[in-house]
């Protein structure tokens, strides 16, 4: 049978210069080929139409487990983990995920290694090896992944919704799998998990259920030849897609109010309706239309009313869990304490708004406006990383006809009121499921979800009950949104007079520094503006830090109903608290960007404290601080590591301590003080001319610094803020032990950080090369072979220009002290590998890293992040890549070995190490032993034994600091 190459016109964005071709191989594998001569990374994604819904009864998680197993080895490439090694060492990445009805495998890699990587990838689906030894080890990895999720509210609440559905529907299943479902229970039934795994693979992995996307710089004909050669041997057993039996909720599972206890502080309301899947009507977009209106945040919206009443701090609406056979429409409300006490009023207001939509009828002008925004978004979409692009398209291929593979449901274009009305009618009291989460329900529930242990109780609610809530709800002025003034109409591109390669310092005054970079790469009508408010008084105490945080969140709160229209129209903004003050960011279409920017600056200049909103935001911030202890243990280790290393930072517990006594008048007094001395670091990039950029900054200066009764004065030279990092002592291994803040968490974690030194091109490339070579070896040894834990990472670290490398491992099987021994054992093993490395191997690694460095930015946001990091750190090496590539070309293998011996090797005399150990409840005895352990006294013992940090603040004050790159005498380093 010949390869099919039907000429299907695949609809693509006007700005898309790539070429596409659909082919069908003789084995019925459907493929999309993408040729992009400009790409410097190649990628592929295989989407298999089999997921956790196909798990055999009593083997929950088998599809997910199979996804893990295919990475290990194949008959053609039997060396374990050689696929991942090949990709990582050639500057790439690889991953996979299992959903209800699909399993997606994907990778990207440097161009020169693509053919080999693709061949290895294809063997997953031809002849994988699933050894007994690897099977047992990877069951532990799946179990570790599940352990990571057990205290996550998102996972717990998702499973509870599944649990309260038809038991004979696959939606009801537990999809992840764990030790119990993949080892203990099968054994009890006399089943061999490996045999079941092979049976599942052979029964379900058929070429006719697969969709492949391949993305390279080659011509379509060359890609086609490559794909035919690599993928034609995948078996086609002509399997049918698994189709679930309709909606998973019958009458027993509807009209229920479920009260449940979350892990974190806070209250949340989830209102859920089973609805007709939008995928059946994706050009009509019924759920998109309804989600746009019910989730709107402008004046008169449901959220606006709930916010005004002080009952909610967030609301989202839209479709979820979608497939061809069923889906849900969800409205999720983040409640305040007062909102928790008015739950019936909130549900009443929601149904009141739904009733308003019914009476108003489906509005063509709203649909047309939404359609227009979607069309602009699609045609002016940013180019993304090839790996993200292929995953998205491969997923679309399972759901949409070929002409819409690139579009999916992104372009609702057919106005069909009856379809929207049909879904709107399904959002009824008869059809609703309400999930109400709060710690207040602790001790008042009578049921337990079996997989995550979530406690809950169920009450029946009738339509008449909800109708009573509607009638008794507050008589607020709910209405439809106004026409959106922020929709861009001028999408023309500015003419760039000179091709500026790097940001330039366009202006500098005592008030601000303006860095400017016109778009010379992406040709999109978009811009990026970042304004860093450097305020010395914003972070000089725990109180100041908390008040700065409340200030930024109040600013966002005040702007929300106005600026939400901008976000709908593709113009995004954010105001966030930083260590040195706060930052304003705008990104999106440049046409109306200045209107939004000037509104934000005006709000800052005229900031007033509204006590009712202050109390709501203070409550929200308090819960954020309280919930810190529910972070994953590995996140806690990273936090402590930063707290130890970074000067002038405050422990979260001190912020939590000061919060209860802060009042609105404290913020009233604080804001003028915070803003009284300010310096603005500004970055403006994209489709904006230099005179426009200068004009924007002049307007900001005039508003904040130069008007009558101005808020701000420039900084004194001595006040320019620095970012300084602790310089660890050479030859000393420091460690900081802490119990996990959540006593119920069984996971322990370690961050093993090795500090190398200040930003220096030659040193940087040695560190980067070590990380590139060691990354996959570390993952394979510590995660795949030793099974320490699902989260096992080796990565570089950069603290304000101070470079290093860190191992991050989370585990239930070993405590942090034992994990540290395994890290050191790995480094000794790696030392042998490095010493045995040939010059040819070394050159291959160097070339791979050069390719990574020469990779072009994909879009304006990515480019802006890169340059902003240089500005924010104060390093200002916009030409960093060019210089580091030059250093790499001259680097020799002996120099890399010398670097390893001096900075990384276990016991190296100049090595500077910090280990942060967080102990979960399974290893609490290890923690007690470590805390009671006495410190060594003689000099020989000191050299060989790690040095314990008892008090972070005392330690930090006693240590020398690296010099700051930023803020020296208020001067900009050029």
């Amino acid at each position: 049978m010949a390869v099919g190459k039907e000429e299907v016109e695949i609809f693509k964005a006007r700005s898309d210069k790539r070429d596409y071709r659909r082919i069908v191989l003789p084995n019925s594998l459907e493929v999309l080929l993408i040729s992009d001569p400009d790409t410097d990374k190649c990628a592929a994604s295989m989407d298999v139409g089999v997921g956790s819904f196909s798990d055999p009864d009593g083997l929950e998680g088998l599809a997910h487990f199979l996804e893990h197993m295919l990475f290990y080895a194949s008959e053609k490439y039997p060396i374990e983990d050689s696929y991942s090694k090949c990709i990582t060492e050639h500057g790439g990445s690889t991953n996979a995920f299992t959903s209800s009805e699909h399993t997606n495998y994907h990778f990207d890699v440097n161009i020169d290694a693509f053919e080999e990587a693709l061949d290895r990838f294809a063997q997953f689906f031809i002849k994988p090896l699933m050894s007994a030894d690897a099977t047992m080890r990877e069951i532990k990895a799946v179990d570790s992944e599940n352990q990571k999720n057990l205290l996550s509210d998102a996972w717990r609440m998702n499973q509870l919704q599944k649990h309260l559905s038809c038991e004979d529907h696959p939606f009801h299943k537990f999809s992840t799998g764990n030790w119990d479902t993949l080892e203990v229970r099968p054994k009890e039934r006399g089943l061999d998990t490996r045999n079941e795994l092979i049976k599942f693979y052979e029964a379900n992995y058929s070429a006719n259920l697969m969709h492949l996307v391949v993305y390279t710089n080659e011509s379509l004909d060359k890609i086609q030849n490559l794909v035919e050669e690599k993928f034609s041997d995948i078996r086609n057993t002509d399997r049918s897609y698994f189709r679930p039996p309709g909606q998973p909720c019958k009458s027993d599972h509807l009209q229920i109010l479920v009260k449940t206890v979350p892990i974190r502080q806070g209250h949340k309301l989830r209102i859920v309706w089973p609805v007709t899947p939008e995928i059946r009507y994706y050009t009509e977009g019924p759920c998109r239309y309804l989600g746009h209106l019910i989730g709107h945040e402008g004046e008169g919206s449901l959220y606006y009313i709930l916010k005004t009443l002080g009952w909610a701090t967030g609301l989202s609406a839209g479709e979820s869990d979608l497939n061809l056979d069923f889906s849900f429409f969800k409205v999720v409300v983040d409640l305040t304490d007062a909102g928790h006490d008015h739950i019936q009023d909130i549900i009443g207001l929601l149904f009141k708004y739904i009733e308003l939509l019914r009476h108003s009828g489906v509005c063509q002008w709203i649909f047309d406006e939404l359609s227009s925004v979607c069309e602009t978004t699609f045609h002016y979409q940013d180019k993304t990383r090839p790996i993200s692009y292929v995953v998205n398209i491969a997923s679309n291929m399972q759901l949409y006809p070929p002409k819409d593979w690139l579009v999916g449901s992104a372009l609702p274009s057919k106005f069909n009121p009856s379809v929207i009305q049909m879904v709107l009618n399904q959002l009824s009291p008869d059809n609703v499921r309400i999930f109400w989460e709060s710690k207040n329900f602790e001790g008042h529930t009578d049921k337990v979800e079996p997989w995550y242990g979530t406690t809950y109780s169920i009450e029946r609610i009738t339509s008449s009950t909800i109708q009573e809530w509607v009638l008794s709800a507050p008589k607020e002025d709910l209405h439809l949104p106004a026409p959106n003034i922020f929709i861009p109409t001028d999408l023309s591109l500015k003419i760039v007079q000179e091709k500026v390669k790097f940001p330039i310092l366009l202006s500098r005054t005592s008030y601000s520094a303006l860095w400017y970079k016109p778009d010379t790469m992406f040709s999109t009508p978009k811009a990026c503006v970042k304004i860093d408010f450097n305020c010395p008084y914003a972070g000089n105490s725990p109180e100041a830090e908390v008040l700065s945080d409340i200030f930024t969140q109040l600013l966002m709160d005040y702007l929300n109903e106005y600026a939400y229209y901008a976000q709908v129209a593709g113009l995004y903004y954010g105001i966030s608290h930083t260590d040195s003050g706060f930052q304003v960011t705008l990104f999106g279409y440049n046409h109306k960007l200045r209107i939004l920017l000037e509104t934000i600056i005006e709000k800052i200049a005229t900031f007033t404290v509204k006590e009712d909103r202050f109390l709501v935001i203070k409550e929200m911030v308090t819960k954020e601080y309280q919930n810190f202890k529910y972070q994953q243990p590995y996140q806690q280790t990273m936090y402590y590591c930063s707290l130890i290393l970074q000067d002038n930072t405050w422990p979260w517990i001190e912020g939590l301590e000061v919060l209860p006594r802060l009042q609105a008048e404290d913020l009233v007094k604080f804001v003028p003080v915070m803003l009284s001395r300010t310096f603005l670091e500004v970055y403006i990039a994209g489709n904006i001319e230099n005179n426009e950029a200068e004009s924007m900054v002049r307007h900001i200066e005039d508003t904040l610094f130069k008007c009558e009764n101005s808020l701000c004065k420039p900084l004194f030279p001595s006040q320019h803020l620095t970012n300084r990092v602790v310089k660890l002592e050479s030859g000393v291994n420091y460690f900081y032990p802490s119990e996990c803040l959540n006593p119920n968490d069984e996971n322990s974690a370690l961050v093993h950080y090795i500090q190398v030194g200040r930003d220096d091109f030659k040193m940087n490339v040695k560190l980067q090369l070590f990380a590139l070579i060691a990354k996959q070896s570390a993952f394979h040894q510590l995660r795949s072979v030793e099974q320490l834990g699902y989260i096992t990472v080796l990565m570089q670290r950069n603290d304000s220009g101070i470079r290093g490398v860190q191992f991050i491992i989370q585990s239930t099987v070993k405590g942090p002290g034992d994990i540290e021994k395994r890290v050191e054992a790995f480094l000794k093993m790696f030392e042998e590998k490095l010493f045995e490395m040939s010059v040819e191997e070394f050159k291959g690694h160097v070339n791979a890293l050069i390719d990574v460095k020469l990779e072009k930015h994909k879009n304006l946001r990515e480019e802006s992040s890169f340059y902003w990091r240089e500005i924010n750190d104060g390093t200002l090496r916009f030409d960093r890549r060019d210089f580091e590539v030059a250093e790499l070309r001259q680097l020799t293998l002996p120099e890399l070995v010398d670097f390893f011996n001096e900075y990384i090797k276990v016991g190296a005399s100049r090595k500077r190490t910090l280990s942060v150990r967080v102990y979960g409840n399974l290893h609490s005895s290890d923690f007690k032993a470590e805390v009671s352990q006495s410190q060594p006294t003689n000099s020989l013992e000191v050299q060989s034994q790690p040095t314990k940090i008892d008090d972070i603040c005392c330690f930090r004050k006693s240590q020398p600091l690296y010099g700051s790159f930023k803020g020296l005498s208020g001067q900009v380093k050029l």
Side-chain angles (χ1 to χ4, degrees):
M1 179 179 166
V3 172
K5 192 176 83 176
E6 292 173 39
E7 287 303 321
V8 176
E9 187 173 351
I10 294 170
F11 187 74
K12 66 179 188 178
R14 287 192 288 270
S15 56
D16 190 350
K17 304 293 189 291
R18 293 165 289 211
D19 291 323
Y20 299 87
R21 179 186 293 168
R22 170 189 178 264
I23 63 169
V24 182
L25 298 188
N27 57 3
S28 297
L29 173 66
E30 201 166 12
V31 188
L32 181 66
L33 314 174
I34 306 176
S35 171
D36 179 3
D38 295 330
T39 192
D40 31 35
K41 269 275 198 298
C42 298
S45 172
M46 178 74 89
D47 201 89
V48 185
V50 179
S52 56
F53 278 3
S54 298
D55 286 345
D57 290 338
L59 279 162
E60 292 85 356
L62 193 67
H64 176 223
F65 178 42
L66 175 59
E67 170 227 302
H68 277 239
M69 285 301 300
L70 290 194
F71 277 78
Y72 267 86
S74 63
E75 282 191 17
K76 186 173 181 181
Y77 299 102
I79 297 173
E80 199 174 278
D81 248 22
S82 60
Y83 160 76
S84 299
K85 180 175 181 286
C86 164
I87 284 174
T88 306
E89 291 184 353
H90 288 91
S93 58
T94 180
N95 212 332
F97 61 84
T98 305
S99 65
S100 302
E101 296 175 271
H102 308 280
T103 307
N104 190 290
Y105 303 83
H106 46 273
F107 75 92
D108 67 357
V109 75
N110 292 343
I111 288 170
D112 64 340
F114 182 63
E115 185 169 349
E116 181 190 349
L118 193 69
D119 194 50
R120 291 174 177 274
F121 181 70
Q123 295 303 311
F124 289 6
F125 313 104
I126 298 170
K127 285 192 176 176
L129 284 182
M130 293 182 256
S131 71
D133 177 48
T135 301
M136 184 53 66
R137 281 187 275 122
E138 206 56 26
I139 291 174
K140 293 176 183 174
V142 169
D143 186 66
S144 176
E145 184 176 355
N146 182 60
Q147 288 282 344
K148 168 184 73 71
N149 300 333
L150 287 178
L151 298 179
S152 159
D153 282 328
W155 282 93
R156 292 163 71 87
M157 297 309 159
N158 181 52
Q159 188 62 44
L160 180 59
Q161 291 177 59
K162 289 155 77 76
H163 181 65
L164 297 176
S165 65
C166 299
E167 289 188 23
D168 59 355
H169 195 286
F171 180 73
H172 181 83
K173 291 179 178 180
F174 168 57
S175 60
T176 312
N178 60 22
W179 182 256
D180 198 36
T181 68
L182 295 171
E183 174 62 16
V184 177
R185 294 188 191 185
K187 264 194 176 158
E188 287 171 353
R189 294 165 55 208
L191 296 176
D192 180 289
T193 303
R194 178 170 174 263
N195 288 343
E196 297 303 312
L197 189 73
I198 292 167
K199 272 162 54 178
F200 184 84
Y201 175 82
E202 290 178 347
N204 291 286
Y205 271 49
S206 174
N208 72 304
L209 300 186
M210 298 180 185
H211 289 85
L212 173 67
V213 183
V214 177
Y215 187 119
T216 91
N217 64 328
E218 298 284 9
S219 69
L220 291 174
D221 288 340
K222 282 190 178 176
I223 309 171
Q224 182 169 331
N225 290 337
L226 197 63
V227 167
E228 289 170 14
E229 177 195 331
K230 308 292 183 194
F231 292 89
S232 292
D233 288 341
I234 299 175
R235 285 179 316 124
N236 178 16
T237 56
D238 207 23
R239 292 284 295 178
S240 298
Y241 283 98
F242 176 83
R243 295 295 295 268
Q247 287 283 2
C249 297
K250 293 183 178 166
S251 56
D252 288 356
H253 313 110
L254 301 174
Q255 293 188 301
I256 55 172
L257 172 62
V258 181
K259 295 178 180 176
T260 178
V261 182
I263 298 294
R264 290 174 171 252
Q265 295 291 337
H267 323 283
K268 202 180 282 277
L269 188 63
R270 301 175 198 267
I271 302 100
V272 184
W273 296 268
V275 295
T276 303
E278 184 171 87
I279 188 68
R280 296 184 193 169
Y281 301 97
Y282 65 92
T283 54
E284 289 88 349
C287 289
R288 184 185 285 267
Y289 176 92
L290 294 170
H292 168 66
L293 291 175
I294 297 171
H296 209 281
E297 298 182 17
E299 195 174 325
S301 67
L302 173 64
Y303 176 64
Y304 175 80
I305 298 300
L306 296 179
K307 181 184 140 179
T308 304
L309 292 166
W311 294 348
T313 57
L315 185 148
S316 63
E319 190 183 30
S320 68
D321 298 309
L322 73 156
N323 63 34
L324 291 167
D325 298 280
F326 69 88
S327 73
F328 296 97
F329 190 92
K330 291 185 183 179
V331 176
V332 181
V333 187
D334 296 310
L335 304 169
T336 61
D337 291 345
H340 177 73
D341 295 334
H342 286 87
I343 206 77
Q344 294 177 4
D345 288 328
I346 292 170
I347 294 169
L349 282 167
L350 167 60
F351 278 98
K352 210 171 182 178
Y353 191 80
I354 291 168
E355 200 55 42
L356 166 71
L357 296 183
R358 284 203 184 94
H359 287 309
S360 304
V362 179
C363 299
Q364 177 144 13
W365 76 265
I366 293 176
F367 182 87
D368 289 346
E369 190 180 85
L370 187 60
S371 179
S372 169
V373 167
C374 289
E375 186 177 10
T376 304
T377 301
F378 177 73
H379 285 296
Y380 292 96
Q381 63 186 284
D382 289 334
K383 203 170 181 182
T384 57
R385 293 172 61 217
I387 192 169
S388 306
Y389 196 59
V390 296
V391 168
N392 182 52
I393 296 170
S395 302
N396 280 353
M397 288 167 75
Q398 299 277 12
L399 298 170
Y400 301 95
K403 69 180 178 62
D404 289 333
W405 281 349
L406 309 185
V407 181
S409 59
L411 281 182
S413 54
K414 289 183 190 169
F415 180 61
N416 190 332
S418 61
V419 169
I420 295 172
Q421 194 68 49
M422 173 189 69
V423 177
L424 179 59
N425 290 340
Q426 292 169 353
L427 307 186
S428 73
D430 300 331
N431 198 33
V432 76
R433 291 150 57 87
I434 300 171
F435 294 82
W436 182 7
E437 302 164 32
S438 175
K439 285 276 200 187
N440 293 7
F441 299 137
E442 217 148 20
H444 301 284
T445 56
D446 58 358
K447 293 180 174 59
V448 179
E449 188 281 316
W451 298 109
Y452 289 82
T454 309
T455 57
Y456 69 99
S457 60
I458 302 179
E459 299 171 21
R460 307 298 308 184
I461 47 168
T462 63
S463 300
S464 55
T465 302
I466 290 177
Q467 201 51 48
E468 286 171 21
W469 296 349
V470 170
L471 294 171
S472 63
K475 305 293 184 280
E476 298 291 335
D477 182 23
L478 289 163
H479 59 79
L480 297 176
N484 193 336
I485 61 165
F486 279 102
I487 293 176
T489 53
D490 180 1
L491 297 165
S492 60
L493 300 179
K494 314 281 183 180
I495 296 167
V496 180
Q497 301 300 333
E498 53 180 312
K499 296 287 183 186
V500 179
K501 189 177 179 184
F502 301 118
I504 56 172
L505 184 62
L506 204 55
S507 68
R508 183 180 175 89
T509 67
S510 56
Y511 312 113
S512 70
L514 166 59
W515 296 94
Y516 169 70
K517 168 72 174 66
D519 177 12
T520 56
M521 288 278 294
F522 312 113
S523 301
T524 58
K526 296 179 183 178
C528 174
V529 175
K530 286 181 179 285
I531 308 167
D532 215 21
F533 284 73
N534 286 273
C535 310
Y537 303 125
N540 59 4
S541 69
E543 287 91 346
E545 177 142 317
V546 172
L547 286 167
S548 299
D549 193 3
I550 293 174
F551 164 75
T552 59
Q553 299 208 38
L554 261 180
L555 255 182
M556 291 281 285
D557 186 74
Y558 293 166
L559 285 158
N560 189 63
E561 51 266 18
Y562 172 79
Y564 182 77
Y565 283 94
Q567 293 192 245
V568 168
L571 177 54
Y572 304 96
Y573 81 106
I575 304 167
S576 57
H577 167 237
T578 65
D579 289 340
S580 57
F582 63 100
Q583 187 179 112
V584 174
T585 302
L586 292 93
F587 184 87
Y589 302 112
N590 58 277
H591 182 206
K592 312 248 175 118
L593 182 146
R594 183 160 182 170
I595 300 169
L596 181 58
L597 174 61
E598 290 183 1
T599 305
I600 293 170
I601 298 303
E602 185 62 28
K603 280 285 183 194
I604 294 170
T606 58
F607 184 82
T608 54
V609 180
K610 300 172 187 171
E611 183 157 12
D612 60 332
R613 298 312 299 162
F614 171 86
L615 292 172
V616 168
I617 299 299
K618 177 188 167 183
E619 179 191 316
M620 195 163 79
V621 170
T622 301
K623 285 172 184 166
E624 286 170 7
Y625 273 82
Q626 289 170 335
N627 284 329
F628 182 87
K629 68 181 181 182
Y630 300 114
Q631 285 188 324
Q632 295 254 353
Y634 82 91
Q635 293 170 315
Q636 294 177 32
T637 59
M638 293 171 76
Y639 163 76
Y640 289 129
C641 193
S642 295
L643 192 64
I644 290 166
L645 292 173
Q646 291 170 3
D647 195 31
N648 288 326
T649 50
W650 310 103
W652 72 278
I653 196 72
E654 293 179 2
L656 185 58
E657 194 177 312
V658 304
L659 261 161
R661 57 178 183 269
L662 292 178
Q663 303 299 324
E665 54 265 31
D666 295 312
L667 189 62
V668 172
K669 293 173 190 168
F670 171 75
V671 171
V673 173
M674 176 182 74
L675 292 171
S676 65
R677 293 287 172 183
T678 305
F679 181 78
L680 308 180
E681 194 93 60
V682 185
Y683 177 76
I684 299 179
N687 194 39
I688 287 184
E689 292 169 340
N690 58 4
N691 59 334
E692 290 180 273
E694 288 182 292
S695 171
M696 283 182 190
V697 172
R698 275 198 304 273
H699 177 83
I700 296 168
E701 288 186 354
D702 289 346
T703 306
L704 296 177
F705 293 92
K706 297 178 183 176
C707 64
E708 197 178 341
N709 304 319
S710 60
L711 278 176
C712 310
K713 290 185 172 61
L715 298 186
F716 292 113
S718 60
Q719 287 183 299
H720 278 266
L721 293 159
T722 58
N723 40 23
R724 304 196 67 186
V725 175
V726 166
K727 185 176 186 179
L728 299 174
E729 190 176 336
S730 293
V732 180
N733 299 327
Y734 296 100
F735 76 98
Y736 175 72
S738 172
E739 279 189 291
C740 184
L741 295 166
N742 180 1
N744 297 320
D745 204 322
E746 296 185 344
N747 293 282
S748 293
L750 169 80
V751 163
H752 180 88
Y753 166 65
I754 302 167
Q755 190 177 71
V756 172
R758 273 169 67 89
D759 188 56
D760 171 85
F761 294 145
K762 196 168 193 71
M763 190 75 79
N764 294 351
V765 298
K766 293 174 188 175
L767 176 65
Q768 291 158 8
L769 196 57
F770 160 72
L772 177 81
I773 300 168
K775 180 181 177 181
Q776 184 56 33
S777 301
F779 181 85
H780 176 61
Q781 181 61 33
L782 302 174
R783 155 71 153 74
S784 301
V785 176
E786 299 187 27
Q787 286 298 322
L788 294 181
Y790 178 75
I791 295 172
T792 301
V793 180
L794 166 61
M795 62 187 292
Q796 295 172 66
R797 184 180 176 113
N798 178 6
D799 297 278
S800 305
I802 309 306
R803 305 292 184 127
V805 69
Q806 58 189 354
F807 291 82
I808 304 165
I809 301 173
Q810 182 166 294
S811 179
T812 52
V813 296
K814 286 189 184 293
D818 289 328
I819 297 172
E820 180 127 48
K821 288 173 186 169
R822 301 316 310 149
V823 168
E824 294 194 337
F826 165 75
L827 286 172
K828 287 174 182 171
M829 186 169 33
F830 181 82
E831 182 181 346
E832 292 177 26
K833 176 184 172 179
L834 187 61
F835 291 165
E836 292 167 3
M837 185 180 290
S838 68
V839 173
E840 288 70 29
E841 271 185 283
F842 170 77
K843 283 181 179 172
H845 293 309
V846 167
N847 290 334
L849 186 54
I850 287 172
D851 286 345
V852 169
K853 290 196 165 297
L854 293 177
E855 197 176 324
K856 296 184 288 288
H857 297 299
K858 302 293 177 290
N859 52 58
L860 179 64
R861 194 188 292 270
E862 195 179 293
E863 180 190 78
S864 296
S865 296
F866 178 85
Y867 291 135
W868 179 253
R869 179 71 188 262
E870 294 290 334
I871 293 165
N872 204 42
D873 286 348
T875 42
L876 301 178
R877 294 314 303 255
F878 304 126
D879 53 2
R880 171 177 305 283
R881 291 174 166 193
D882 298 341
F883 279 88
E884 289 186 347
V885 166
E887 289 291 351
L888 269 170
R889 294 194 197 282
Q890 295 173 30
L891 191 66
T892 65
L893 178 55
E895 285 178 308
L896 180 64
V897 172
D898 289 345
F899 166 81
F900 179 85
N901 287 340
E902 191 171 350
Y903 292 98
I904 310 292
K905 180 179 175 177
V906 176
S909 59
R910 290 190 60 181
K911 186 175 181 180
R912 294 188 287 267
T913 308
L914 167 64
S915 293
V916 179
R917 306 171 181 176
V918 166
Y919 291 80
N921 65 25
L922 291 181
H923 305 109
S924 55
S925 58
D926 293 359
F927 172 74
K928 292 181 178 70
E930 192 152 82
V931 167
S932 60
Q933 193 177 320
S934 59
Q935 287 288 84
T937 51
N938 71 59
S939 57
L940 281 174
E941 279 187 324
V942 168
Q943 283 297 313
S944 60
Q945 291 296 315
T947 301
K948 187 167 71 175
I949 298 170
D950 292 308
D951 182 290
I952 288 177
C953 294
C954 290
F955 171 78
R956 205 168 60 189
K957 288 172 184 173
S958 69
Q959 297 303 302
L961 303 173
Y962 281 104
S964 172
F965 285 99
K966 186 175 183 176
L968 302 177
S969 306
Q971 298 301 306
V972 172
K973 187 184 102 185
L974 294 171

